[in-house]
Amino acid sequence: MLWDRARAIFPGGVNSPARALRHLQSPLIAERGEGAYLYTDRGKLVDFCMGFGPLILGHRPKPVLDAVKAWLERGWLYAMLTEPEVELGETIIRHVPSVKKIRFVSTGTEATMNAVRLARGYTKRDVIIKFEGNFHGSHDYVLVKAGSGAATWGIPTSAGIPADVAKLTVVVPYNDVEAFRKAIREVGDRLAAVIVEPVAGNYGLIIPDIDFLKTLREETERVGALLIFDEVITGFRLGLSGAQGRFGVIPDITTLGKIIGGGFPIGAFGGRQEVMDLVAPSGPVYNAGTFNAHPVSMVAGLATLRELERGYPYEVADRAAEKMARGLEDLAGRYGFDVVVKRISSMFQLYFKRGDVKTPQDVRESNEKLYLKLHEIALSHGVYLTPSQYEVNFTSSMHTDEVVNEALQALELAFRKLKLVGSS
Ligand SMILES: Cc1ncc(COP(=O)(O)O)c(C=O)c1O
């Protein structure tokens, strides 16, 4: 069996923890994707994971497929400048308010790592503040009280990070203005940067208070530190200008990934000219990469952003998420479950709890076992919800009304069964 072979050679049988799905007997095996659907060893599934976010146009969208196929004919790695990278850079700069210059890397992890290094190089200070449950990729500066797979697997603070590095990362509760003010008073003029997910998408979905984001902006400015918005998820998902455009809070540095590569490996960090000019070779903050601005990722990203500029993908994806959120609330109510459903644009998450979800603590207080049981039952009815309470569900421009109705019908059966079996 493929799973046995995988287990023999990969730690935990996988190459990224969030794929392991510990509540199931074995992880899923993907065969292909098409539109809103995944074809797997468990059959055809309506996909609400969408590659953990990049696939806003669904699986295998024709404009991206055509662009990539055409480019492959020309070869795929030159270690030279290409036209698509300039076009993608210009397109991002046109839409994302804080980005005036940009550097392409290969992953979101590299993007945040370099953004933090850049902030330290610019301010000549060492300490950063991050927020509990925010996930910025798997490197040492930020793997302290992190979300996503790290939270799912109960390893929010990784082993192997030197204590001297970890102590330079101060962790503050998300969405808590007072705690943040206190931390900034304590760190004071040692603070290089605050890094934040402007909408938290790695501890379930936590929507920030606008005051929280505004305070981050004001306080970093006051103490001469830089504000980094990690928009690896929200960039081009909450609209063309991302969370910063949506909330009107403009950071100094923005990190991007996921959508801007159209489903191919990518990351980017950008900001105002004076800051970005410190990046090598124009300045002393080093970054380099064999695969930086990989032509295939550039072409796929460009084709994706061109579609997004037409507007319709956001209309369809946002409507689908809205309909899913309302549908899930209705179903839960009908079958007697207390739930909170959070949604913004084309992201949503469901929590089995009363009250509201505004902080990581609220997420921890929800019934994770019920979520995982629902996930498992929904899977057997052809719906692939995001596989952890600590991740979010995504919709795409291929999640039409028809697809959403199909998913909600299947979820009705799932809730009925959940009522019978509970979380056992
Ligand atoms: C907000 C955020 N930042 C950074 C990353 C890391 O990106 P990558 O997985 O491309 O390294 C992720 C990945 O999920 C993310 O959600």
Side-chain angles (χ1 to χ4, degrees), residues 296-312:
V296 174
S297 302
M298 298 294 113
V299 163
L302 198 54
T304 301
L305 299 198
R306 291 280 176 266
E307 284 304 295
L308 293 177
E309 282 174 332
R310 295 173 61 196
Y312 80 91

PDB file of all heavy atoms in Angstrom, residues 296-312:
ATOM      1  N   VAL A 296       7.930  29.340 -13.838  1.00  0.00           N
ATOM      2  CA  VAL A 296       6.624  28.670 -13.882  1.00  0.00           C
ATOM      3  C   VAL A 296       5.685  29.273 -12.825  1.00  0.00           C
ATOM      4  O   VAL A 296       4.503  29.521 -13.089  1.00  0.00           O
ATOM      5  CB  VAL A 296       6.771  27.144 -13.700  1.00  0.00           C
ATOM      6  CG1 VAL A 296       5.410  26.471 -13.600  1.00  0.00           C
ATOM      7  CG2 VAL A 296       7.560  26.554 -14.866  1.00  0.00           C
ATOM      8  N   SER A 297       6.219  29.546 -11.648  1.00  0.00           N
ATOM      9  CA  SER A 297       5.400  30.182 -10.605  1.00  0.00           C
ATOM     10  C   SER A 297       4.987  31.594 -11.037  1.00  0.00           C
ATOM     11  O   SER A 297       3.863  32.034 -10.780  1.00  0.00           O
ATOM     12  CB  SER A 297       6.170  30.267  -9.291  1.00  0.00           C
ATOM     13  OG  SER A 297       6.579  28.986  -8.863  1.00  0.00           O
ATOM     14  N   MET A 298       5.900  32.285 -11.696  1.00  0.00           N
ATOM     15  CA  MET A 298       5.592  33.653 -12.149  1.00  0.00           C
ATOM     16  C   MET A 298       4.454  33.649 -13.168  1.00  0.00           C
ATOM     17  O   MET A 298       3.511  34.424 -13.087  1.00  0.00           O
ATOM     18  CB  MET A 298       6.835  34.290 -12.798  1.00  0.00           C
ATOM     19  CG  MET A 298       8.027  34.451 -11.890  1.00  0.00           C
ATOM     20  SD  MET A 298       7.766  35.618 -10.528  1.00  0.00           S
ATOM     21  CE  MET A 298       7.801  34.519  -9.147  1.00  0.00           C
ATOM     22  N   VAL A 299       4.546  32.727 -14.114  1.00  0.00           N
ATOM     23  CA  VAL A 299       3.547  32.643 -15.178  1.00  0.00           C
ATOM     24  C   VAL A 299       2.189  32.229 -14.599  1.00  0.00           C
ATOM     25  O   VAL A 299       1.145  32.800 -14.939  1.00  0.00           O
ATOM     26  CB  VAL A 299       4.047  31.632 -16.248  1.00  0.00           C
ATOM     27  CG1 VAL A 299       2.926  31.185 -17.146  1.00  0.00           C
ATOM     28  CG2 VAL A 299       5.180  32.250 -17.054  1.00  0.00           C
ATOM     29  N   ALA A 300       2.216  31.250 -13.691  1.00  0.00           N
ATOM     30  CA  ALA A 300       0.969  30.779 -13.080  1.00  0.00           C
ATOM     31  C   ALA A 300       0.354  31.873 -12.210  1.00  0.00           C
ATOM     32  O   ALA A 300      -0.874  32.086 -12.218  1.00  0.00           O
ATOM     33  CB  ALA A 300       1.241  29.531 -12.239  1.00  0.00           C
ATOM     34  N   GLY A 301       1.200  32.578 -11.490  1.00  0.00           N
ATOM     35  CA  GLY A 301       0.713  33.659 -10.621  1.00  0.00           C
ATOM     36  C   GLY A 301       0.109  34.780 -11.444  1.00  0.00           C
ATOM     37  O   GLY A 301      -0.972  35.296 -11.127  1.00  0.00           O
ATOM     38  N   LEU A 302       0.789  35.125 -12.514  1.00  0.00           N
ATOM     39  CA  LEU A 302       0.301  36.206 -13.374  1.00  0.00           C
ATOM     40  C   LEU A 302      -1.052  35.846 -13.990  1.00  0.00           C
ATOM     41  O   LEU A 302      -1.983  36.661 -13.999  1.00  0.00           O
ATOM     42  CB  LEU A 302       1.343  36.463 -14.464  1.00  0.00           C
ATOM     43  CG  LEU A 302       1.274  37.770 -15.215  1.00  0.00           C
ATOM     44  CD1 LEU A 302       1.273  38.966 -14.264  1.00  0.00           C
ATOM     45  CD2 LEU A 302       2.469  37.870 -16.165  1.00  0.00           C
ATOM     46  N   ALA A 303      -1.165  34.617 -14.469  1.00  0.00           N
ATOM     47  CA  ALA A 303      -2.443  34.191 -15.066  1.00  0.00           C
ATOM     48  C   ALA A 303      -3.554  34.244 -14.007  1.00  0.00           C
ATOM     49  O   ALA A 303      -4.701  34.626 -14.298  1.00  0.00           O
ATOM     50  CB  ALA A 303      -2.307  32.782 -15.629  1.00  0.00           C
ATOM     51  N   THR A 304      -3.204  33.891 -12.769  1.00  0.00           N
ATOM     52  CA  THR A 304      -4.195  33.923 -11.683  1.00  0.00           C
ATOM     53  C   THR A 304      -4.620  35.359 -11.370  1.00  0.00           C
ATOM     54  O   THR A 304      -5.816  35.658 -11.288  1.00  0.00           O
ATOM     55  CB  THR A 304      -3.599  33.256 -10.422  1.00  0.00           C
ATOM     56  OG1 THR A 304      -3.235  31.915 -10.748  1.00  0.00           O
ATOM     57  CG2 THR A 304      -4.592  33.246  -9.275  1.00  0.00           C
ATOM     58  N   LEU A 305      -3.641  36.238 -11.234  1.00  0.00           N
ATOM     59  CA  LEU A 305      -3.992  37.625 -10.886  1.00  0.00           C
ATOM     60  C   LEU A 305      -4.775  38.304 -12.007  1.00  0.00           C
ATOM     61  O   LEU A 305      -5.679  39.104 -11.749  1.00  0.00           O
ATOM     62  CB  LEU A 305      -2.743  38.437 -10.535  1.00  0.00           C
ATOM     63  CG  LEU A 305      -1.914  37.952  -9.338  1.00  0.00           C
ATOM     64  CD1 LEU A 305      -1.000  39.059  -8.829  1.00  0.00           C
ATOM     65  CD2 LEU A 305      -2.756  37.427  -8.184  1.00  0.00           C
ATOM     66  N   ARG A 306      -4.466  37.944 -13.243  1.00  0.00           N
ATOM     67  CA  ARG A 306      -5.242  38.516 -14.369  1.00  0.00           C
ATOM     68  C   ARG A 306      -6.715  38.120 -14.260  1.00  0.00           C
ATOM     69  O   ARG A 306      -7.605  38.921 -14.543  1.00  0.00           O
ATOM     70  CB  ARG A 306      -4.678  38.049 -15.706  1.00  0.00           C
ATOM     71  CG  ARG A 306      -3.326  38.612 -16.034  1.00  0.00           C
ATOM     72  CD  ARG A 306      -3.422  40.046 -16.595  1.00  0.00           C
ATOM     73  NE  ARG A 306      -2.088  40.593 -16.811  1.00  0.00           N
ATOM     74  CZ  ARG A 306      -1.404  41.343 -15.930  1.00  0.00           C
ATOM     75  NH1 ARG A 306      -1.943  41.667 -14.764  1.00  0.00           N
ATOM     76  NH2 ARG A 306      -0.202  41.795 -16.206  1.00  0.00           N
ATOM     77  N   GLU A 307      -6.961  36.876 -13.885  1.00  0.00           N
ATOM     78  CA  GLU A 307      -8.368  36.438 -13.695  1.00  0.00           C
ATOM     79  C   GLU A 307      -8.995  37.178 -12.526  1.00  0.00           C
ATOM     80  O   GLU A 307     -10.136  37.634 -12.602  1.00  0.00           O
ATOM     81  CB  GLU A 307      -8.440  34.928 -13.431  1.00  0.00           C
ATOM     82  CG  GLU A 307      -8.245  34.051 -14.645  1.00  0.00           C
ATOM     83  CD  GLU A 307      -9.216  34.371 -15.771  1.00  0.00           C
ATOM     84  OE1 GLU A 307     -10.428  34.192 -15.609  1.00  0.00           O
ATOM     85  OE2 GLU A 307      -8.729  34.815 -16.842  1.00  0.00           O
ATOM     86  N   LEU A 308      -8.242  37.299 -11.435  1.00  0.00           N
ATOM     87  CA  LEU A 308      -8.790  37.977 -10.255  1.00  0.00           C
ATOM     88  C   LEU A 308      -9.129  39.434 -10.565  1.00  0.00           C
ATOM     89  O   LEU A 308     -10.106  39.981 -10.058  1.00  0.00           O
ATOM     90  CB  LEU A 308      -7.803  37.902  -9.081  1.00  0.00           C
ATOM     91  CG  LEU A 308      -7.567  36.499  -8.505  1.00  0.00           C
ATOM     92  CD1 LEU A 308      -6.514  36.541  -7.395  1.00  0.00           C
ATOM     93  CD2 LEU A 308      -8.861  35.894  -7.948  1.00  0.00           C
ATOM     94  N   GLU A 309      -8.322  40.046 -11.434  1.00  0.00           N
ATOM     95  CA  GLU A 309      -8.587  41.449 -11.800  1.00  0.00           C
ATOM     96  C   GLU A 309      -9.936  41.600 -12.502  1.00  0.00           C
ATOM     97  O   GLU A 309     -10.499  42.682 -12.553  1.00  0.00           O
ATOM     98  CB  GLU A 309      -7.462  41.975 -12.703  1.00  0.00           C
ATOM     99  CG  GLU A 309      -6.201  42.335 -11.914  1.00  0.00           C
ATOM    100  CD  GLU A 309      -5.032  42.711 -12.814  1.00  0.00           C
ATOM    101  OE1 GLU A 309      -4.971  42.212 -13.972  1.00  0.00           O
ATOM    102  OE2 GLU A 309      -4.180  43.504 -12.366  1.00  0.00           O
ATOM    103  N   ARG A 310     -10.442  40.505 -13.024  1.00  0.00           N
ATOM    104  CA  ARG A 310     -11.749  40.580 -13.711  1.00  0.00           C
ATOM    105  C   ARG A 310     -12.913  40.597 -12.707  1.00  0.00           C
ATOM    106  O   ARG A 310     -14.052  40.864 -13.094  1.00  0.00           O
ATOM    107  CB  ARG A 310     -11.897  39.403 -14.675  1.00  0.00           C
ATOM    108  CG  ARG A 310     -10.865  39.461 -15.813  1.00  0.00           C
ATOM    109  CD  ARG A 310     -10.888  38.219 -16.666  1.00  0.00           C
ATOM    110  NE  ARG A 310     -12.169  38.021 -17.302  1.00  0.00           N
ATOM    111  CZ  ARG A 310     -12.580  36.888 -17.856  1.00  0.00           C
ATOM    112  NH1 ARG A 310     -11.770  35.839 -17.865  1.00  0.00           N
ATOM    113  NH2 ARG A 310     -13.757  36.789 -18.403  1.00  0.00           N
ATOM    114  N   GLY A 311     -12.630  40.308 -11.468  1.00  0.00           N
ATOM    115  CA  GLY A 311     -13.650  40.498 -10.428  1.00  0.00           C
ATOM    116  C   GLY A 311     -14.523  39.294 -10.141  1.00  0.00           C
ATOM    117  O   GLY A 311     -14.823  39.006  -8.982  1.00  0.00           O
ATOM    118  N   TYR A 312     -14.908  38.569 -11.190  1.00  0.00           N
ATOM    119  CA  TYR A 312     -15.888  37.491 -10.982  1.00  0.00           C
ATOM    120  C   TYR A 312     -15.421  36.419  -9.979  1.00  0.00           C
ATOM    121  O   TYR A 312     -16.244  35.885  -9.218  1.00  0.00           O
ATOM    122  CB  TYR A 312     -16.294  36.844 -12.325  1.00  0.00           C
ATOM    123  CG  TYR A 312     -15.289  35.848 -12.831  1.00  0.00           C
ATOM    124  CD1 TYR A 312     -15.390  34.490 -12.497  1.00  0.00           C
ATOM    125  CD2 TYR A 312     -14.184  36.244 -13.586  1.00  0.00           C
ATOM    126  CE1 TYR A 312     -14.430  33.579 -12.909  1.00  0.00           C
ATOM    127  CE2 TYR A 312     -13.230  35.348 -13.991  1.00  0.00           C
ATOM    128  CZ  TYR A 312     -13.352  34.016 -13.649  1.00  0.00           C
ATOM    129  OH  TYR A 312     -12.395  33.125 -14.024  1.00  0.00           O
TER     130      TYR A 312
END
